[in-house]
Amino acid sequence: MNKKFDNILDNKWWQEVAVVAFSLTIYTLKNDWMLFSSFTSVLMGVFFYFILYMHAQFNRFFLLPILFKGQKPLTYVFLTLFGVFVFSIVLYEITKLDMFSKCHLYQNSHQRSYTYQLASVLGTLVCILSPIIVFKFYRIHRKQTDETLLFNQMQLNSLKGQLNPHFLFNTFNTLYGISLEFPDRTPDLIMKVSQLMRYQLESNNKQSVSLEDELEFINSYVQLEKERVGYRCDITYDCKIDNENAYKVSPMLLIAFIENAFKHGTCAIEKCFVRIIITVENGLLHLHVVNSIPKKNTDVVSTKIGLKNTIERLNLIYGKDYKLDIQDDKNTYIVDLKLQLKKFVE
């Protein structure tokens, strides 16, 4: 229903019909057409409205460009007032013709005065131009919004295209590390990796997925990392959601922060830890990730593509409607993210 209504608003012909219907209704009520007793009176009323409509269209196509394109407001005001003056004189002279003596249009003395005709021309001009200008700015805003959405979508697709190989690179590194230390586990882990890759590929072309699917993906990744470094790293993963099926989220939006924690928090042999806490209450998602920082500097290959692209995606999708706090001290690296999820079914 809303889509059909939007199509009507975007159609210039329907907009023109709406303008005519609105202005004609106002003009009809102003002249008390319900008191007209003959078909001739109605025709004369339509004739007068046609003159007023032509005046408004003249202002629309010849004078308004002076205001909007020429940026000359004083010139526009002067020419508009001059046009109102000329057309009001034309209408005033028409009301004096003999053809009005037998119809019930403009029979009162005040309706045949020049002041009344001047008010009619000016009032009808406002009634016609106002919705025309509103529709014009609506189309401009809609076009700008569509262009912005298209540009944002192109950026999101580009970021996803960079993020996908980045994720695969880290995942295969994890699998390689496990295969060296625990070769007997490799077949099962390959199956887990294939499940992660399947989810990544299936969600690649989707703008959003269910929160349940995203959390299942994150859980699988954490379990994979536990297989790799769980024997020497204290890994905590806690997830509390009030209703997993009720929300949707952009796919692979959170994984970069979790990847980063394992990549840099477990790069040393010394005792380390990674803590991941995800809570959702009334649609507010809170991701809290803390990882240890090794005392001895260890060279870790890092392109920083994952974090950078994720932050850019957050900016594109949520604008200013999210809070991201990253703290980096000598001992720990903390990521605290809060964002309002959208309902999965609206």
Side-chain angles (χ1 to χ4, degrees), residues 20 23-25 27-28 31 33 36 38-54 91 94 99-100 103 105-106 124 128:
V20 172
S23 57
L24 183 59
T25 301
Y27 178 75
T28 301
N31 290 287
W33 280 27
F36 291 175
S38 67
F39 182 70
T40 304
S41 298
V42 175
L43 289 179
M44 294 309 300
V46 173
F47 172 72
F48 266 85
Y49 172 79
F50 179 77
I51 295 177
L52 295 170
Y53 180 77
M54 287 297 100
L91 287 180
I94 291 177
M99 58 192 303
F100 285 97
C103 70
L105 184 66
Y106 294 156
T124 309
I128 294 177

PDB file of all heavy atoms in Angstrom, residues 20 23-25 27-28 31 33 36 38-54 91 94 99-100 103 105-106 124 128:
ATOM      1  N   VAL A  20      -4.912  20.327  -9.289  1.00  0.00           N
ATOM      2  CA  VAL A  20      -6.144  20.851  -9.894  1.00  0.00           C
ATOM      3  C   VAL A  20      -7.335  20.573  -8.982  1.00  0.00           C
ATOM      4  O   VAL A  20      -8.178  21.448  -8.757  1.00  0.00           O
ATOM      5  CB  VAL A  20      -6.369  20.226 -11.291  1.00  0.00           C
ATOM      6  CG1 VAL A  20      -7.749  20.607 -11.831  1.00  0.00           C
ATOM      7  CG2 VAL A  20      -5.281  20.683 -12.249  1.00  0.00           C
ATOM      8  N   SER A  23      -7.114  22.937  -5.818  1.00  0.00           N
ATOM      9  CA  SER A  23      -7.387  24.355  -6.096  1.00  0.00           C
ATOM     10  C   SER A  23      -8.815  24.572  -6.588  1.00  0.00           C
ATOM     11  O   SER A  23      -9.470  25.564  -6.239  1.00  0.00           O
ATOM     12  CB  SER A  23      -6.388  24.897  -7.129  1.00  0.00           C
ATOM     13  OG  SER A  23      -6.435  24.125  -8.324  1.00  0.00           O
ATOM     14  N   LEU A  24      -9.336  23.630  -7.397  1.00  0.00           N
ATOM     15  CA  LEU A  24     -10.706  23.749  -7.885  1.00  0.00           C
ATOM     16  C   LEU A  24     -11.709  23.638  -6.744  1.00  0.00           C
ATOM     17  O   LEU A  24     -12.731  24.345  -6.728  1.00  0.00           O
ATOM     18  CB  LEU A  24     -10.984  22.681  -8.942  1.00  0.00           C
ATOM     19  CG  LEU A  24     -12.366  22.713  -9.607  1.00  0.00           C
ATOM     20  CD1 LEU A  24     -12.597  24.065 -10.305  1.00  0.00           C
ATOM     21  CD2 LEU A  24     -12.503  21.580 -10.611  1.00  0.00           C
ATOM     22  N   THR A  25     -11.422  22.773  -5.782  1.00  0.00           N
ATOM     23  CA  THR A  25     -12.296  22.642  -4.614  1.00  0.00           C
ATOM     24  C   THR A  25     -12.339  23.938  -3.820  1.00  0.00           C
ATOM     25  O   THR A  25     -13.418  24.397  -3.408  1.00  0.00           O
ATOM     26  CB  THR A  25     -11.812  21.489  -3.715  1.00  0.00           C
ATOM     27  OG1 THR A  25     -11.822  20.261  -4.464  1.00  0.00           O
ATOM     28  CG2 THR A  25     -12.704  21.335  -2.505  1.00  0.00           C
ATOM     29  N   TYR A  27     -11.675  26.924  -4.928  1.00  0.00           N
ATOM     30  CA  TYR A  27     -12.343  27.938  -5.752  1.00  0.00           C
ATOM     31  C   TYR A  27     -13.860  27.736  -5.748  1.00  0.00           C
ATOM     32  O   TYR A  27     -14.648  28.696  -5.712  1.00  0.00           O
ATOM     33  CB  TYR A  27     -11.797  27.869  -7.176  1.00  0.00           C
ATOM     34  CG  TYR A  27     -12.442  28.848  -8.126  1.00  0.00           C
ATOM     35  CD1 TYR A  27     -12.131  30.205  -8.072  1.00  0.00           C
ATOM     36  CD2 TYR A  27     -13.350  28.418  -9.092  1.00  0.00           C
ATOM     37  CE1 TYR A  27     -12.713  31.105  -8.953  1.00  0.00           C
ATOM     38  CE2 TYR A  27     -13.943  29.305  -9.966  1.00  0.00           C
ATOM     39  CZ  TYR A  27     -13.614  30.654  -9.892  1.00  0.00           C
ATOM     40  OH  TYR A  27     -14.192  31.539 -10.762  1.00  0.00           O
ATOM     41  N   THR A  28     -14.282  26.460  -5.771  1.00  0.00           N
ATOM     42  CA  THR A  28     -15.711  26.149  -5.763  1.00  0.00           C
ATOM     43  C   THR A  28     -16.366  26.607  -4.459  1.00  0.00           C
ATOM     44  O   THR A  28     -17.426  27.244  -4.464  1.00  0.00           O
ATOM     45  CB  THR A  28     -15.919  24.634  -5.935  1.00  0.00           C
ATOM     46  OG1 THR A  28     -15.341  24.232  -7.165  1.00  0.00           O
ATOM     47  CG2 THR A  28     -17.400  24.297  -5.936  1.00  0.00           C
ATOM     48  N   ASN A  31     -16.850  30.380  -4.159  1.00  0.00           N
ATOM     49  CA  ASN A  31     -17.897  31.004  -4.972  1.00  0.00           C
ATOM     50  C   ASN A  31     -19.278  30.389  -4.774  1.00  0.00           C
ATOM     51  O   ASN A  31     -20.196  30.692  -5.525  1.00  0.00           O
ATOM     52  CB  ASN A  31     -17.511  30.928  -6.463  1.00  0.00           C
ATOM     53  CG  ASN A  31     -16.344  31.833  -6.788  1.00  0.00           C
ATOM     54  OD1 ASN A  31     -16.490  33.048  -6.838  1.00  0.00           O
ATOM     55  ND2 ASN A  31     -15.176  31.237  -7.005  1.00  0.00           N
ATOM     56  N   TRP A  33     -20.699  27.324  -5.332  1.00  0.00           N
ATOM     57  CA  TRP A  33     -21.261  26.709  -6.538  1.00  0.00           C
ATOM     58  C   TRP A  33     -22.547  25.938  -6.249  1.00  0.00           C
ATOM     59  O   TRP A  33     -23.320  25.656  -7.145  1.00  0.00           O
ATOM     60  CB  TRP A  33     -20.233  25.751  -7.155  1.00  0.00           C
ATOM     61  CG  TRP A  33     -19.194  26.472  -7.962  1.00  0.00           C
ATOM     62  CD1 TRP A  33     -18.766  27.744  -7.795  1.00  0.00           C
ATOM     63  CD2 TRP A  33     -18.451  25.940  -9.058  1.00  0.00           C
ATOM     64  NE1 TRP A  33     -17.797  28.056  -8.693  1.00  0.00           N
ATOM     65  CE2 TRP A  33     -17.574  26.949  -9.499  1.00  0.00           C
ATOM     66  CE3 TRP A  33     -18.425  24.715  -9.708  1.00  0.00           C
ATOM     67  CZ2 TRP A  33     -16.712  26.777 -10.562  1.00  0.00           C
ATOM     68  CZ3 TRP A  33     -17.553  24.541 -10.757  1.00  0.00           C
ATOM     69  CH2 TRP A  33     -16.706  25.562 -11.191  1.00  0.00           C
ATOM     70  N   PHE A  36     -25.500  27.635  -7.604  1.00  0.00           N
ATOM     71  CA  PHE A  36     -25.662  27.872  -9.048  1.00  0.00           C
ATOM     72  C   PHE A  36     -26.920  27.131  -9.536  1.00  0.00           C
ATOM     73  O   PHE A  36     -27.122  25.955  -9.248  1.00  0.00           O
ATOM     74  CB  PHE A  36     -24.453  27.362  -9.820  1.00  0.00           C
ATOM     75  CG  PHE A  36     -23.203  28.167  -9.563  1.00  0.00           C
ATOM     76  CD1 PHE A  36     -22.005  27.769 -10.112  1.00  0.00           C
ATOM     77  CD2 PHE A  36     -23.232  29.312  -8.796  1.00  0.00           C
ATOM     78  CE1 PHE A  36     -20.847  28.508  -9.893  1.00  0.00           C
ATOM     79  CE2 PHE A  36     -22.099  30.046  -8.570  1.00  0.00           C
ATOM     80  CZ  PHE A  36     -20.886  29.650  -9.114  1.00  0.00           C
ATOM     81  N   SER A  38     -27.933  27.038 -12.902  1.00  0.00           N
ATOM     82  CA  SER A  38     -27.949  26.709 -14.326  1.00  0.00           C
ATOM     83  C   SER A  38     -26.608  26.120 -14.747  1.00  0.00           C
ATOM     84  O   SER A  38     -25.564  26.356 -14.116  1.00  0.00           O
ATOM     85  CB  SER A  38     -28.241  27.959 -15.165  1.00  0.00           C
ATOM     86  OG  SER A  38     -27.178  28.894 -15.071  1.00  0.00           O
ATOM     87  N   PHE A  39     -26.662  25.358 -15.816  1.00  0.00           N
ATOM     88  CA  PHE A  39     -25.445  24.757 -16.368  1.00  0.00           C
ATOM     89  C   PHE A  39     -24.514  25.825 -16.909  1.00  0.00           C
ATOM     90  O   PHE A  39     -23.290  25.684 -16.851  1.00  0.00           O
ATOM     91  CB  PHE A  39     -25.837  23.774 -17.481  1.00  0.00           C
ATOM     92  CG  PHE A  39     -24.674  23.069 -18.084  1.00  0.00           C
ATOM     93  CD1 PHE A  39     -23.958  22.112 -17.352  1.00  0.00           C
ATOM     94  CD2 PHE A  39     -24.269  23.342 -19.379  1.00  0.00           C
ATOM     95  CE1 PHE A  39     -22.871  21.454 -17.918  1.00  0.00           C
ATOM     96  CE2 PHE A  39     -23.185  22.695 -19.948  1.00  0.00           C
ATOM     97  CZ  PHE A  39     -22.492  21.746 -19.206  1.00  0.00           C
ATOM     98  N   THR A  40     -25.091  26.912 -17.402  1.00  0.00           N
ATOM     99  CA  THR A  40     -24.286  28.024 -17.925  1.00  0.00           C
ATOM    100  C   THR A  40     -23.415  28.634 -16.832  1.00  0.00           C
ATOM    101  O   THR A  40     -22.252  28.983 -17.064  1.00  0.00           O
ATOM    102  CB  THR A  40     -25.200  29.120 -18.521  1.00  0.00           C
ATOM    103  OG1 THR A  40     -26.024  28.545 -19.518  1.00  0.00           O
ATOM    104  CG2 THR A  40     -24.370  30.246 -19.113  1.00  0.00           C
ATOM    105  N   SER A  41     -23.977  28.735 -15.630  1.00  0.00           N
ATOM    106  CA  SER A  41     -23.212  29.289 -14.521  1.00  0.00           C
ATOM    107  C   SER A  41     -22.003  28.416 -14.191  1.00  0.00           C
ATOM    108  O   SER A  41     -20.910  28.917 -13.906  1.00  0.00           O
ATOM    109  CB  SER A  41     -24.104  29.419 -13.280  1.00  0.00           C
ATOM    110  OG  SER A  41     -25.178  30.293 -13.517  1.00  0.00           O
ATOM    111  N   VAL A  42     -22.212  27.091 -14.242  1.00  0.00           N
ATOM    112  CA  VAL A  42     -21.109  26.174 -13.965  1.00  0.00           C
ATOM    113  C   VAL A  42     -20.020  26.327 -15.020  1.00  0.00           C
ATOM    114  O   VAL A  42     -18.828  26.372 -14.707  1.00  0.00           O
ATOM    115  CB  VAL A  42     -21.610  24.722 -13.916  1.00  0.00           C
ATOM    116  CG1 VAL A  42     -20.437  23.755 -13.746  1.00  0.00           C
ATOM    117  CG2 VAL A  42     -22.610  24.544 -12.789  1.00  0.00           C
ATOM    118  N   LEU A  43     -20.443  26.422 -16.292  1.00  0.00           N
ATOM    119  CA  LEU A  43     -19.459  26.589 -17.365  1.00  0.00           C
ATOM    120  C   LEU A  43     -18.673  27.883 -17.197  1.00  0.00           C
ATOM    121  O   LEU A  43     -17.452  27.918 -17.419  1.00  0.00           O
ATOM    122  CB  LEU A  43     -20.153  26.572 -18.728  1.00  0.00           C
ATOM    123  CG  LEU A  43     -20.707  25.216 -19.192  1.00  0.00           C
ATOM    124  CD1 LEU A  43     -21.388  25.366 -20.547  1.00  0.00           C
ATOM    125  CD2 LEU A  43     -19.577  24.186 -19.273  1.00  0.00           C
ATOM    126  N   MET A  44     -19.354  28.949 -16.797  1.00  0.00           N
ATOM    127  CA  MET A  44     -18.672  30.222 -16.601  1.00  0.00           C
ATOM    128  C   MET A  44     -17.698  30.124 -15.423  1.00  0.00           C
ATOM    129  O   MET A  44     -16.615  30.733 -15.446  1.00  0.00           O
ATOM    130  CB  MET A  44     -19.686  31.338 -16.355  1.00  0.00           C
ATOM    131  CG  MET A  44     -20.577  31.634 -17.563  1.00  0.00           C
ATOM    132  SD  MET A  44     -19.648  31.889 -19.095  1.00  0.00           S
ATOM    133  CE  MET A  44     -18.631  33.295 -18.650  1.00  0.00           C
ATOM    134  N   GLY A  45     -18.097  29.361 -14.406  1.00  0.00           N
ATOM    135  CA  GLY A  45     -17.196  29.161 -13.272  1.00  0.00           C
ATOM    136  C   GLY A  45     -15.931  28.424 -13.696  1.00  0.00           C
ATOM    137  O   GLY A  45     -14.823  28.789 -13.292  1.00  0.00           O
ATOM    138  N   VAL A  46     -16.107  27.380 -14.523  1.00  0.00           N
ATOM    139  CA  VAL A  46     -14.957  26.639 -15.042  1.00  0.00           C
ATOM    140  C   VAL A  46     -14.096  27.545 -15.905  1.00  0.00           C
ATOM    141  O   VAL A  46     -12.852  27.471 -15.864  1.00  0.00           O
ATOM    142  CB  VAL A  46     -15.428  25.405 -15.832  1.00  0.00           C
ATOM    143  CG1 VAL A  46     -14.247  24.722 -16.515  1.00  0.00           C
ATOM    144  CG2 VAL A  46     -16.156  24.427 -14.924  1.00  0.00           C
ATOM    145  N   PHE A  47     -14.737  28.395 -16.678  1.00  0.00           N
ATOM    146  CA  PHE A  47     -14.004  29.330 -17.529  1.00  0.00           C
ATOM    147  C   PHE A  47     -13.136  30.277 -16.690  1.00  0.00           C
ATOM    148  O   PHE A  47     -11.953  30.499 -16.989  1.00  0.00           O
ATOM    149  CB  PHE A  47     -14.996  30.139 -18.373  1.00  0.00           C
ATOM    150  CG  PHE A  47     -14.358  31.257 -19.149  1.00  0.00           C
ATOM    151  CD1 PHE A  47     -13.562  30.984 -20.257  1.00  0.00           C
ATOM    152  CD2 PHE A  47     -14.552  32.578 -18.774  1.00  0.00           C
ATOM    153  CE1 PHE A  47     -12.967  32.019 -20.961  1.00  0.00           C
ATOM    154  CE2 PHE A  47     -13.964  33.615 -19.479  1.00  0.00           C
ATOM    155  CZ  PHE A  47     -13.166  33.338 -20.574  1.00  0.00           C
ATOM    156  N   PHE A  48     -13.690  30.799 -15.617  1.00  0.00           N
ATOM    157  CA  PHE A  48     -12.935  31.685 -14.736  1.00  0.00           C
ATOM    158  C   PHE A  48     -11.774  30.933 -14.073  1.00  0.00           C
ATOM    159  O   PHE A  48     -10.673  31.468 -13.952  1.00  0.00           O
ATOM    160  CB  PHE A  48     -13.856  32.290 -13.666  1.00  0.00           C
ATOM    161  CG  PHE A  48     -14.399  33.626 -14.045  1.00  0.00           C
ATOM    162  CD1 PHE A  48     -15.544  33.733 -14.818  1.00  0.00           C
ATOM    163  CD2 PHE A  48     -13.750  34.785 -13.651  1.00  0.00           C
ATOM    164  CE1 PHE A  48     -16.042  34.964 -15.173  1.00  0.00           C
ATOM    165  CE2 PHE A  48     -14.244  36.026 -14.001  1.00  0.00           C
ATOM    166  CZ  PHE A  48     -15.396  36.127 -14.773  1.00  0.00           C
ATOM    167  N   TYR A  49     -12.072  29.697 -13.639  1.00  0.00           N
ATOM    168  CA  TYR A  49     -11.003  28.904 -13.007  1.00  0.00           C
ATOM    169  C   TYR A  49      -9.887  28.632 -14.008  1.00  0.00           C
ATOM    170  O   TYR A  49      -8.698  28.656 -13.651  1.00  0.00           O
ATOM    171  CB  TYR A  49     -11.549  27.583 -12.472  1.00  0.00           C
ATOM    172  CG  TYR A  49     -10.452  26.657 -12.000  1.00  0.00           C
ATOM    173  CD1 TYR A  49      -9.855  26.852 -10.757  1.00  0.00           C
ATOM    174  CD2 TYR A  49     -10.002  25.614 -12.807  1.00  0.00           C
ATOM    175  CE1 TYR A  49      -8.824  26.021 -10.329  1.00  0.00           C
ATOM    176  CE2 TYR A  49      -8.970  24.787 -12.385  1.00  0.00           C
ATOM    177  CZ  TYR A  49      -8.384  24.998 -11.156  1.00  0.00           C
ATOM    178  OH  TYR A  49      -7.364  24.188 -10.746  1.00  0.00           O
ATOM    179  N   PHE A  50     -10.252  28.385 -15.274  1.00  0.00           N
ATOM    180  CA  PHE A  50      -9.251  28.118 -16.301  1.00  0.00           C
ATOM    181  C   PHE A  50      -8.306  29.316 -16.461  1.00  0.00           C
ATOM    182  O   PHE A  50      -7.093  29.148 -16.604  1.00  0.00           O
ATOM    183  CB  PHE A  50      -9.941  27.804 -17.632  1.00  0.00           C
ATOM    184  CG  PHE A  50      -8.983  27.546 -18.762  1.00  0.00           C
ATOM    185  CD1 PHE A  50      -8.325  26.328 -18.863  1.00  0.00           C
ATOM    186  CD2 PHE A  50      -8.740  28.516 -19.722  1.00  0.00           C
ATOM    187  CE1 PHE A  50      -7.437  26.092 -19.901  1.00  0.00           C
ATOM    188  CE2 PHE A  50      -7.859  28.286 -20.763  1.00  0.00           C
ATOM    189  CZ  PHE A  50      -7.199  27.064 -20.851  1.00  0.00           C
ATOM    190  N   ILE A  51      -8.863  30.517 -16.415  1.00  0.00           N
ATOM    191  CA  ILE A  51      -8.020  31.716 -16.512  1.00  0.00           C
ATOM    192  C   ILE A  51      -7.070  31.797 -15.316  1.00  0.00           C
ATOM    193  O   ILE A  51      -5.870  32.083 -15.462  1.00  0.00           O
ATOM    194  CB  ILE A  51      -8.891  32.986 -16.591  1.00  0.00           C
ATOM    195  CG1 ILE A  51      -9.711  32.973 -17.894  1.00  0.00           C
ATOM    196  CG2 ILE A  51      -8.024  34.241 -16.518  1.00  0.00           C
ATOM    197  CD1 ILE A  51     -10.658  34.146 -18.018  1.00  0.00           C
ATOM    198  N   LEU A  52      -7.613  31.542 -14.133  1.00  0.00           N
ATOM    199  CA  LEU A  52      -6.782  31.574 -12.930  1.00  0.00           C
ATOM    200  C   LEU A  52      -5.707  30.487 -12.961  1.00  0.00           C
ATOM    201  O   LEU A  52      -4.557  30.714 -12.549  1.00  0.00           O
ATOM    202  CB  LEU A  52      -7.660  31.396 -11.685  1.00  0.00           C
ATOM    203  CG  LEU A  52      -8.672  32.513 -11.405  1.00  0.00           C
ATOM    204  CD1 LEU A  52      -9.633  32.093 -10.301  1.00  0.00           C
ATOM    205  CD2 LEU A  52      -7.954  33.799 -11.019  1.00  0.00           C
ATOM    206  N   TYR A  53      -6.069  29.328 -13.499  1.00  0.00           N
ATOM    207  CA  TYR A  53      -5.118  28.227 -13.590  1.00  0.00           C
ATOM    208  C   TYR A  53      -3.994  28.555 -14.581  1.00  0.00           C
ATOM    209  O   TYR A  53      -2.822  28.251 -14.336  1.00  0.00           O
ATOM    210  CB  TYR A  53      -5.847  26.950 -14.017  1.00  0.00           C
ATOM    211  CG  TYR A  53      -4.958  25.739 -14.152  1.00  0.00           C
ATOM    212  CD1 TYR A  53      -4.517  25.057 -13.018  1.00  0.00           C
ATOM    213  CD2 TYR A  53      -4.572  25.271 -15.402  1.00  0.00           C
ATOM    214  CE1 TYR A  53      -3.706  23.940 -13.135  1.00  0.00           C
ATOM    215  CE2 TYR A  53      -3.761  24.161 -15.529  1.00  0.00           C
ATOM    216  CZ  TYR A  53      -3.325  23.495 -14.393  1.00  0.00           C
ATOM    217  OH  TYR A  53      -2.521  22.401 -14.523  1.00  0.00           O
ATOM    218  N   MET A  54      -4.360  29.175 -15.716  1.00  0.00           N
ATOM    219  CA  MET A  54      -3.362  29.570 -16.705  1.00  0.00           C
ATOM    220  C   MET A  54      -2.408  30.611 -16.134  1.00  0.00           C
ATOM    221  O   MET A  54      -1.205  30.594 -16.409  1.00  0.00           O
ATOM    222  CB  MET A  54      -4.048  30.124 -17.962  1.00  0.00           C
ATOM    223  CG  MET A  54      -4.722  29.063 -18.829  1.00  0.00           C
ATOM    224  SD  MET A  54      -3.553  27.854 -19.522  1.00  0.00           S
ATOM    225  CE  MET A  54      -3.779  26.476 -18.391  1.00  0.00           C
ATOM    226  N   LEU A  91      -9.898  39.737 -15.468  1.00  0.00           N
ATOM    227  CA  LEU A  91     -11.087  39.131 -14.873  1.00  0.00           C
ATOM    228  C   LEU A  91     -12.138  40.189 -14.536  1.00  0.00           C
ATOM    229  O   LEU A  91     -13.344  39.963 -14.716  1.00  0.00           O
ATOM    230  CB  LEU A  91     -10.703  38.360 -13.607  1.00  0.00           C
ATOM    231  CG  LEU A  91      -9.965  37.036 -13.800  1.00  0.00           C
ATOM    232  CD1 LEU A  91      -9.667  36.397 -12.457  1.00  0.00           C
ATOM    233  CD2 LEU A  91     -10.780  36.074 -14.659  1.00  0.00           C
ATOM    234  N   ILE A  94     -13.923  41.097 -17.650  1.00  0.00           N
ATOM    235  CA  ILE A  94     -14.788  40.017 -18.138  1.00  0.00           C
ATOM    236  C   ILE A  94     -16.112  40.003 -17.380  1.00  0.00           C
ATOM    237  O   ILE A  94     -17.179  39.744 -17.960  1.00  0.00           O
ATOM    238  CB  ILE A  94     -14.061  38.659 -18.011  1.00  0.00           C
ATOM    239  CG1 ILE A  94     -12.896  38.583 -18.998  1.00  0.00           C
ATOM    240  CG2 ILE A  94     -15.030  37.504 -18.257  1.00  0.00           C
ATOM    241  CD1 ILE A  94     -12.086  37.313 -18.892  1.00  0.00           C
ATOM    242  N   MET A  99     -22.661  38.701 -21.051  1.00  0.00           N
ATOM    243  CA  MET A  99     -22.874  37.260 -20.924  1.00  0.00           C
ATOM    244  C   MET A  99     -23.083  36.832 -19.467  1.00  0.00           C
ATOM    245  O   MET A  99     -23.576  35.742 -19.204  1.00  0.00           O
ATOM    246  CB  MET A  99     -21.678  36.493 -21.513  1.00  0.00           C
ATOM    247  CG  MET A  99     -20.356  36.850 -20.859  1.00  0.00           C
ATOM    248  SD  MET A  99     -18.919  36.220 -21.772  1.00  0.00           S
ATOM    249  CE  MET A  99     -19.279  34.493 -21.829  1.00  0.00           C
ATOM    250  N   PHE A 100     -22.721  37.697 -18.506  1.00  0.00           N
ATOM    251  CA  PHE A 100     -22.907  37.368 -17.099  1.00  0.00           C
ATOM    252  C   PHE A 100     -24.251  37.819 -16.545  1.00  0.00           C
ATOM    253  O   PHE A 100     -24.582  37.519 -15.399  1.00  0.00           O
ATOM    254  CB  PHE A 100     -21.791  37.997 -16.261  1.00  0.00           C
ATOM    255  CG  PHE A 100     -20.483  37.275 -16.386  1.00  0.00           C
ATOM    256  CD1 PHE A 100     -19.525  37.729 -17.263  1.00  0.00           C
ATOM    257  CD2 PHE A 100     -20.227  36.134 -15.644  1.00  0.00           C
ATOM    258  CE1 PHE A 100     -18.329  37.071 -17.393  1.00  0.00           C
ATOM    259  CE2 PHE A 100     -19.027  35.478 -15.769  1.00  0.00           C
ATOM    260  CZ  PHE A 100     -18.068  35.942 -16.651  1.00  0.00           C
ATOM    261  N   CYS A 103     -26.506  34.627 -15.770  1.00  0.00           N
ATOM    262  CA  CYS A 103     -26.023  33.520 -14.933  1.00  0.00           C
ATOM    263  C   CYS A 103     -25.893  34.005 -13.504  1.00  0.00           C
ATOM    264  O   CYS A 103     -25.885  35.190 -13.224  1.00  0.00           O
ATOM    265  CB  CYS A 103     -24.687  32.980 -15.456  1.00  0.00           C
ATOM    266  SG  CYS A 103     -23.315  34.115 -15.234  1.00  0.00           S
ATOM    267  N   LEU A 105     -23.385  33.653 -11.486  1.00  0.00           N
ATOM    268  CA  LEU A 105     -22.003  33.763 -11.056  1.00  0.00           C
ATOM    269  C   LEU A 105     -21.621  35.221 -10.892  1.00  0.00           C
ATOM    270  O   LEU A 105     -21.896  36.049 -11.772  1.00  0.00           O
ATOM    271  CB  LEU A 105     -21.073  33.095 -12.081  1.00  0.00           C
ATOM    272  CG  LEU A 105     -19.586  33.048 -11.736  1.00  0.00           C
ATOM    273  CD1 LEU A 105     -19.344  32.164 -10.528  1.00  0.00           C
ATOM    274  CD2 LEU A 105     -18.775  32.562 -12.935  1.00  0.00           C
ATOM    275  N   TYR A 106     -21.030  35.553  -9.760  1.00  0.00           N
ATOM    276  CA  TYR A 106     -20.595  36.916  -9.481  1.00  0.00           C
ATOM    277  C   TYR A 106     -21.757  37.911  -9.561  1.00  0.00           C
ATOM    278  O   TYR A 106     -21.669  38.944 -10.227  1.00  0.00           O
ATOM    279  CB  TYR A 106     -19.486  37.358 -10.441  1.00  0.00           C
ATOM    280  CG  TYR A 106     -18.190  36.593 -10.264  1.00  0.00           C
ATOM    281  CD1 TYR A 106     -17.280  36.498 -11.310  1.00  0.00           C
ATOM    282  CD2 TYR A 106     -17.878  35.978  -9.060  1.00  0.00           C
ATOM    283  CE1 TYR A 106     -16.095  35.821 -11.159  1.00  0.00           C
ATOM    284  CE2 TYR A 106     -16.699  35.295  -8.895  1.00  0.00           C
ATOM    285  CZ  TYR A 106     -15.807  35.210  -9.947  1.00  0.00           C
ATOM    286  OH  TYR A 106     -14.635  34.533  -9.790  1.00  0.00           O
ATOM    287  N   THR A 124      -5.850  32.136  -5.588  1.00  0.00           N
ATOM    288  CA  THR A 124      -5.743  30.936  -6.425  1.00  0.00           C
ATOM    289  C   THR A 124      -4.293  30.650  -6.785  1.00  0.00           C
ATOM    290  O   THR A 124      -3.885  29.485  -6.863  1.00  0.00           O
ATOM    291  CB  THR A 124      -6.572  31.104  -7.711  1.00  0.00           C
ATOM    292  OG1 THR A 124      -7.896  31.508  -7.382  1.00  0.00           O
ATOM    293  CG2 THR A 124      -6.614  29.800  -8.492  1.00  0.00           C
ATOM    294  N   ILE A 128      -2.487  27.076  -5.930  1.00  0.00           N
ATOM    295  CA  ILE A 128      -1.955  26.209  -6.979  1.00  0.00           C
ATOM    296  C   ILE A 128      -0.443  26.052  -6.845  1.00  0.00           C
ATOM    297  O   ILE A 128       0.094  24.949  -6.958  1.00  0.00           O
ATOM    298  CB  ILE A 128      -2.323  26.753  -8.374  1.00  0.00           C
ATOM    299  CG1 ILE A 128      -3.841  26.683  -8.579  1.00  0.00           C
ATOM    300  CG2 ILE A 128      -1.603  25.979  -9.474  1.00  0.00           C
ATOM    301  CD1 ILE A 128      -4.312  27.258  -9.894  1.00  0.00           C
TER     302      ILE A 128
END
